[in-house]
Amino acid sequence: MGVASFARYDGLADWYEEYNAPAAAANQAAIRELLGPGEGPCLDLGCGGGQYFETIRSTGRSIIGLDYSADQLRIAQGRDADLLVRADAAALPFEDAIFPTVTALWVSSDVDDFTTVVKEAARVDALKKSSRHFKITSVLTASPTQATRSSEWQG
């Protein structure tokens, strides 16, 4: 589908930061458990204002936050990321197999083409290239306060 048509959260980032804070806080332990311990950079697709950066870092990973919304990245700048990138998750500006971990937390309804986002996540995931197994840590539950592993993909 190509580049996103617009940044959905530009102009809404401050509101969303406050609105989503209780759900983000409630999901910290579940996200930590889903990720497990790790190392190296984690690409956090659709990172928004960075509400999960602290949780990702607590697992031993460094953080590369990516979002299409400049307004969301403005908020994320106040959090502990190693690098913030403004880009479309459906057209990632990274080489193949470069990240040991890729997350996409609650973004499935915020992108134009989630299938392409998953394919791009798999493309840049280093462990998928070696093990042919890619775990999608995108949370797709009906309730934003219940984190569950959505699926596993065999490639």
Side-chain angles (χ1 to χ4, degrees):
M1 181 156 216
V3 177
S5 55
F6 64 96
R8 287 176 172 83
Y9 286 89
D10 279 353
L12 300 173
D14 292 314
W15 166 82
Y16 187 76
E17 178 71 11
E18 183 177 337
Y19 168 80
N20 194 57
N27 288 314
Q28 301 296 331
I31 297 300
R32 191 176 298 108
E33 183 180 339
L34 285 169
L35 285 173
E39 60 184 24
C42 172
L43 176 61
D44 186 12
L45 294 177
C47 70
Q51 291 180 324
Y52 295 101
F53 289 173
E54 182 180 331
T55 300
I56 293 167
R57 186 168 303 285
S58 76
T59 68
R61 295 166 172 89
S62 57
I63 300 159
I64 311 300
L66 181 137
D67 206 283
Y68 195 63
S69 169
D71 204 18
Q72 287 281 42
L73 291 174
R74 172 187 56 80
I75 292 172
Q77 285 177 353
R79 292 200 163 96
D80 188 23
D82 296 281
L83 177 66
L84 295 174
V85 178
R86 183 177 186 269
D88 185 355
L92 295 173
F94 303 110
E95 297 175 18
D96 293 355
I98 195 169
F99 295 104
T101 308
V102 179
T103 61
L105 304 170
W106 288 277
V107 300
S108 62
S109 62
D110 295 326
V111 296
D112 291 337
D113 184 356
F114 189 59
T115 299
T116 300
V117 170
V118 170
K119 288 178 182 176
E120 277 291 276
R123 180 183 66 77
V124 301
D125 181 58
L127 299 180
K128 181 225 179 240
K129 294 295 182 186
S130 62
S131 67
R132 304 301 297 162
H133 187 244
F134 176 64
K135 292 182 181 179
I136 302 170
T137 313
S138 178
V139 182
L140 303 174
T141 60
S143 169
T145 59
Q146 294 180 306
T148 59
R149 186 182 322 270
S150 62
S151 63
E152 293 186 9
W153 175 77
Q154 298 284 338

